[in-house]
């Protein structure tokens, strides 16, 4: 969670100091970066966003159209696609640009902490509340509040958030006095809120209150023309950080980057360039320097070794379901769901964040199901 009066900066990518043809060819591509991006070496967020691919340029045009309004915005995109960068740019193009931009990760809150963090508390409101504290809504007053991973907010807090949006005022925990607030909400999620609403995990009235404008960020693999411009941006950044001289990506290295699926999106690309520079011993990054995600390799291996009848995995799943239906088992639907959750969890090497991302659900939903079927302890 952090507050900032600075927004993501939009400028043209610089010309290549090495005279690289690929970099020089896209010098006019707009680029967004986080404020103080060079201090975020351990950040899990995407620290840069480039607009070179037609899909990205269409997104940028939509941002420029909707940003000047005061409408609430929901940004949809997979982890690592640069949702906060887009949110900061919406803020920068609005009339609130000189007021605070406050970014809050809703997935980091427990239910007991969320109310205090968002709405504030008074002294003595709970054990440990030794002084009054303003919440993030008050901190963002007059500006923009960015609620990342909003699908992870507990239902009880969703009710209170809806009331704040309706009444335009907050009441600190332990207080009876309302405080007027003037805040534009930009929410972000890596899950489909419509599905969360249908499953009863997200309030429908809050969904409609938030989703006045929707901005969908394509995955990196869906905007392939952005891959090399981003790669060269990160190459330039990390060369400067590490104090390295001129370095390029050779043709085979570029081909490997273009062909990779990028499940981790921009953040994975940034890490790949950083790692390649660390192990490279000359002035060229080659394919062997890029240690990319193993998820696709595992999937490819499974596809090569398992027969699905028609060759379509979904067809194989249909056949398996027909077999189960013929057996007339009790509680079959729940068993199938449990199998999906368990298999995804094990496939992701028991990493809850990665498994939730794979299933396109929130981590809270996954965690609750894993606890229920005994895969993890409620105390973990």
């Amino acid at each position: 969670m952090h507050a900032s009066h600075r927004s993501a900066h939009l400028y043209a990518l610089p010309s290549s100091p090495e005279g690289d043809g690929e970099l020089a060819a896209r010098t006019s591509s707009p680029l967004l970066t986080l404020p103080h991006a060079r201090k975020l070496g351990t950040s899990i967020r995407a620290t840069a966003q480039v607009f070179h691919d037609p899909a990205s340029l269409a997104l940028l045009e939509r941002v420029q159209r909707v940003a000047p309004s005061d409408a609430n915005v929901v940004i949809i995109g997979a982890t690592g696609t640069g949702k906060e960068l887009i949110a900061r740019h919406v803020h920068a193009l609005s009339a609130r640009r000189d007021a605070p931009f406050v970014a809050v990760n809703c997935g980091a809150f427990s239910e007991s902490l969320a109310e205090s963090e968002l709405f504030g508390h008074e002294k003595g409101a709970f054990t440990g509340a030794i002084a009054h504290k303003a919440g993030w809504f008050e901190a963002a007053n007059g500006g923009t509040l960015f609620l990342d991973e909003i699908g992870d907010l507990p239902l009880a807090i969703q009710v209170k958030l809806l009331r704040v949006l309706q009444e335009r005022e907050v009441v600190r925990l332990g207080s009876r006095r309302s405080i007027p607030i003037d805040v534009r909400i930009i929410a972000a999620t890596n899950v489909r809120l419509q599905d969360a609403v249908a499953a009863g995990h997200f309030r429908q009235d809050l969904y409609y209150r938030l989703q006045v404008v929707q901005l969908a960020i394509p995955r990196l693999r869906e905007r392939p023309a952005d891959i090399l411009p981003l790669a060269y941006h990160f190459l330039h950044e990390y060369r400067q950080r590490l104090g390295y001289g001129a370095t390029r990506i050779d043709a085979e290295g570029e081909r490997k980057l273009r062909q990779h699926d990028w499940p981790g999106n921009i953040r994975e690309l940034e890490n790949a360039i950083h790692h390649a520079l660390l192990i490279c011993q000359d002035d060229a990054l080659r394919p062997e320097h890029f240690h990319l995600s193993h998820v696709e390799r595992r999937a490819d291996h499974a596809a090569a070794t398992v027969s699905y009848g028609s060759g379509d995995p979904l067809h194989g799943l249909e056949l398996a379901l027909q077999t189960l239906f013929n057996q007339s088992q009790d509680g079959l639907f729940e068993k199938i769901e449990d199998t999906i959750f368990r298999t995804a969890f094990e496939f992701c090497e028991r990493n809850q964040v990665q498994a939730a991302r794979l299933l396109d659900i929130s981590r809270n939903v996954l965690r609750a199901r894993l606890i229920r079927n005994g895969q993890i302890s409620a105390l973990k």
Side-chain angles (χ1 to χ4, degrees):
M1 298 167 288
H2 53 283
S4 174
H5 289 264
R6 300 184 63 189
S7 61
H9 184 52
L10 182 66
Y11 57 94
L13 283 161
S15 298
S16 169
E18 298 80 42
D20 179 82
E22 174 61 36
L23 186 59
R26 45 75 172 170
T27 53
S28 62
S29 299
L31 173 75
L32 283 175
T33 59
L34 283 175
H36 312 299
R38 293 187 183 182
K39 298 180 180 179
L40 300 174
T42 60
S43 174
I44 62 170
R45 294 171 290 161
T47 60
Q49 176 76 269
V50 71
F51 302 93
H52 188 71
D53 192 274
S56 297
L57 289 170
L59 172 63
L60 180 60
E61 182 182 354
R62 181 167 171 78
V63 168
Q64 292 168 338
R65 287 202 309 268
V66 305
S69 76
D70 218 24
N72 293 332
V73 178
V74 172
I75 302 174
I76 300 174
T79 300
T81 51
K83 295 187 290 294
E84 182 175 336
L85 286 161
I86 296 298
R88 285 179 176 272
H89 196 47
V90 170
H91 173 74
L93 296 177
S94 73
R96 299 173 181 267
R97 65 180 66 89
D98 296 323
F101 176 94
V102 178
V104 179
N105 185 345
C106 299
F109 295 140
S110 64
E111 183 170 341
S112 58
L113 183 62
E115 182 174 4
S116 169
E117 289 293 322
L118 287 173
F119 312 126
H121 64 256
E122 296 294 339
K123 180 179 179 180
F126 52 86
T127 302
I130 59 176
H132 73 269
K133 176 185 174 183
W136 292 111
F137 268 92
E138 289 180 68
N141 198 26
T144 302
L145 181 61
F146 175 56
L147 299 176
D148 198 8
E149 297 185 31
I150 194 168
D152 286 343
L153 270 185
L155 282 169
I157 304 303
Q158 292 179 29
V159 175
K160 296 178 180 179
L161 175 58
L162 177 63
R163 180 174 177 81
V164 169
L165 297 181
Q166 290 173 335
E167 304 297 331
R168 293 292 175 177
E169 59 185 26
V170 296
V171 178
R172 292 179 182 175
L173 189 61
S175 173
R176 295 183 179 179
R177 183 175 66 90
S178 62
I179 302 172
I181 52 101
D182 172 25
V183 173
R184 182 186 195 177
I185 298 295
I186 303 179
T189 177
N190 59 8
V191 300
R192 283 174 50 86
L193 288 182
Q194 301 97 313
D195 294 341
V197 169
H201 303 308
F202 199 83
R203 290 184 61 93
Q204 186 177 44
D205 44 8
L206 178 58
Y207 169 75
Y208 287 120
R209 173 69 63 169
L210 289 171
Q211 186 144 313
V212 179
V213 174
Q214 177 178 302
L215 298 173
I217 306 180
R219 294 176 183 267
L220 186 54
R221 64 173 175 263
E222 296 167 350
R223 41 187 167 122
D226 289 345
I227 294 173
L228 289 183
L230 278 166
Y232 278 101
H233 166 72
F234 292 130
L235 178 62
H236 176 73
E237 286 292 305
Y238 281 99
R239 275 183 48 242
Q240 290 191 322
R241 294 191 203 186
L242 297 169
Y244 288 4
T247 309
R248 63 186 176 84
I249 305 173
D250 75 4
E252 290 302 314
E254 289 186 351
R255 183 175 295 108
K256 183 171 183 176
L257 294 180
R258 284 195 300 262
Q259 293 176 348
H260 185 57
D261 201 43
W262 299 112
N265 294 291
I266 296 172
R267 186 59 196 171
E268 182 187 359
L269 175 58
E270 179 176 350
N271 288 339
I273 297 297
H274 187 186
H275 177 267
L277 273 172
L278 291 174
I279 65 173
C280 177
Q281 295 182 340
D282 53 34
D283 63 353
L285 302 185
R286 291 181 287 275
E288 60 268 23
H289 296 136
F290 297 111
H291 292 182
L292 304 181
S293 170
H294 67 285
V295 173
E296 281 68 39
R297 291 197 293 272
R298 289 175 59 177
D300 290 344
H301 176 72
T305 56
V306 178
S307 172
Y308 291 108
S310 69
D312 180 2
L314 289 178
H315 179 69
L317 178 60
E318 289 178 9
L319 295 176
L321 289 173
Q322 290 172 11
T323 301
L324 290 172
F325 295 156
N326 287 329
Q327 295 174 1
S328 300
Q329 298 183 31
D330 292 333
L332 179 58
F333 182 73
E334 186 171 320
K335 291 177 182 177
I336 292 171
E337 281 195 327
D338 283 343
T339 301
I340 293 172
F341 282 99
R342 184 182 69 253
T343 304
F345 187 45
E346 295 298 335
F347 178 82
C348 294
E349 299 176 355
R350 302 182 68 81
N351 184 306
Q352 294 180 38
V353 174
Q354 294 290 343
R357 186 180 305 154
L358 181 67
L359 295 176
D360 206 16
I361 59 175
S362 75
R363 179 178 177 271
N364 284 352
V365 172
L366 175 75
R367 176 177 167 78
R369 193 55 177 261
L370 293 175
I371 291 173
R372 194 177 82 177
N373 65 23
Q375 289 296 300
I376 61 173
S377 167
L379 299 179
K380 291 185 68 174

